[in-house]
Amino acid sequence: DQQVKQNSPSLSVQEGRISILNCDYTNSMFDYFLWYKKYPAEGPTFLISISSIKDKNEDGRFTVFLNKSAKHLSLHIVPSQPGDSAVYFCAASDLSGNTPLVFGKGTRLSVIA
Amino acid sequence: GAVVSQHPSWVICKSGTSVKIECRSLDFQATTMFWYRQFPKQSLMLMATSNEGSKATYEQGVEKDKFLINHASLTLSTLTVTSAHPEDSSFYICSARLRQGGTDTQYFGPGTRLTVL
C-alpha cells in the first residue's frame, strides 16, 4: 500500500518555463511534507517543506502548495533551469517526529535548454 | 545547512566479508538517524531507524542480524553489512533528523555504493 504517490515517473520542461511536480498521499495522519532533489549516485538534498497549517511555502524559485482536502501537494519550479534536472522525491511524515519519512517513488525532471 | 557525511563513498568487497559504513552529522546532533537502500531506478527503501543509545528499529523484511546498526553517539551511526553477498550490492544512504522550530527535517548523506563480488 503506497501511502505517498508520485504518479508521473518523468517530466520534461523547457528551460525558463514552469515545472510542476505532483504528489498525492493517502494517510490523513501526515501533517508535514518535504521535497527532496536527487542526482544519480548522490544522497537526496532537502529542498523545501510545508506543514499542514499552511497551504503554500515559497523559497526562491521553489514553491510548494498543499491541498489538504484533496491530499495533494505540488512543487513548482519557476523558471526551470537545466541544473534542476534530477529526480524529485516527495516525502511525508507527522510533526511528532516519531515516524520515519515515507517517500514517493520519485519523478525524473528533465529541463531542456 | 545541516551536513551529513558518509564513509566510504564506495566499497568493493568479496562475498562473505563484512563491510562497515559510517554516517556522521557534522554540524548538529542527531538522536535519530535512518538507513536507506536504493536499487537502480527505484525509490528509497527505509531499512531501519537508528536511535542513539538504544537498539535500532528494523523495517519488515530487513534482517537485523545481517545489517547491524550501532548509534554510538549523537553524531555517528554505523551500518555493518555482515557476510555480504552479491545481492547486497546497492546504494546505501543514511539520513539524520534535525528538529528545529517544532518540525523535523531529514538531511541525507551522499550515499555509499557497495559492490559485492
Side-chain angles (χ1 to χ4, degrees):
Chain A
D1 176 33
Q2 217 181 323
Q3 297 186 71
V4 177
K5 299 178 186 178
Q6 292 178 258
N7 291 320
S8 298
S10 63
L11 174 68
S12 287
V13 171
Q14 248 185 331
E15 182 180 5
R17 307 293 287 267
I18 184 170
S19 295
I20 300 177
L21 298 109
N22 294 303
C23 178
D24 297 292
Y25 61 97
T26 57
N27 190 338
S28 57
M29 299 300 291
F30 290 148
D31 54 12
Y32 185 53
F33 306 90
L34 308 92
W35 284 94
Y36 287 86
K37 174 182 178 179
K38 187 180 183 301
Y39 294 115
E42 292 186 14
T45 303
F46 169 70
L47 274 179
I48 192 168
S49 64
I50 189 167
S51 69
S52 59
I53 61 173
K54 291 185 170 183
D55 54 19
K56 177 183 174 181
N57 190 23
E58 192 172 350
D59 183 1
R61 296 186 297 115
F62 302 92
T63 303
V64 56
F65 295 92
L66 175 63
N67 182 335
K68 289 188 292 291
S69 59
K71 293 192 176 69
H72 176 84
L73 64 153
S74 60
L75 174 68
H76 292 210
I77 306 173
V78 56
S80 301
Q81 299 172 354
D84 296 330
S85 297
V87 177
Y88 289 78
F89 289 98
C90 168
S93 182
D94 64 56
L95 283 168
S96 73
N98 292 327
T99 56
L101 290 176
V102 178
F103 283 87
K105 292 192 173 183
T107 297
R108 181 175 300 279
L109 173 66
S110 300
V111 180
I112 305 159
Chain B
V3 179
V4 176
S5 71
Q6 269 182 254
H7 178 80
S9 55
W10 59 269
V11 56
I12 302 173
C13 69
K14 291 183 179 180
S15 187
T17 60
S18 294
V19 174
K20 181 187 281 189
I21 304 169
E22 292 185 350
C23 177
R24 292 181 187 272
S25 55
L26 297 185
D27 49 1
F28 65 100
Q29 293 183 328
T31 54
T32 305
M33 292 184 174
F34 302 91
W35 287 95
Y36 295 84
R37 184 172 177 177
Q38 185 181 31
F39 293 100
K41 298 185 179 179
Q42 292 191 30
S43 184
L44 300 168
M45 183 194 81
L46 177 66
M47 297 175 66
T49 302
S50 170
N51 298 298
E52 189 268 337
S54 65
K55 290 183 180 180
T57 304
Y58 289 82
E59 296 300 300
Q60 195 171 11
V62 177
E63 299 175 59
K64 61 180 180 182
D65 294 330
K66 180 166 185 62
F67 298 99
L68 300 179
I69 291 172
N70 184 10
H71 197 145
S73 75
L74 288 171
T75 59
L76 172 64
S77 175
T78 59
L79 168 69
T80 301
V81 184
T82 62
S83 187
H85 290 285
E87 57 265 30
D88 298 324
S89 298
S90 191
F91 192 56
Y92 292 88
I93 309 173
C94 74
S95 70
R97 184 165 67 192
L98 174 62
R99 176 160 273 256
Q100 279 182 320
T103 60
D104 284 316
T105 301
Q106 283 187 35
Y107 292 92
F108 285 83
T112 297
R113 168 74 57 194
L114 171 64
T115 302
V116 185
L117 302 177

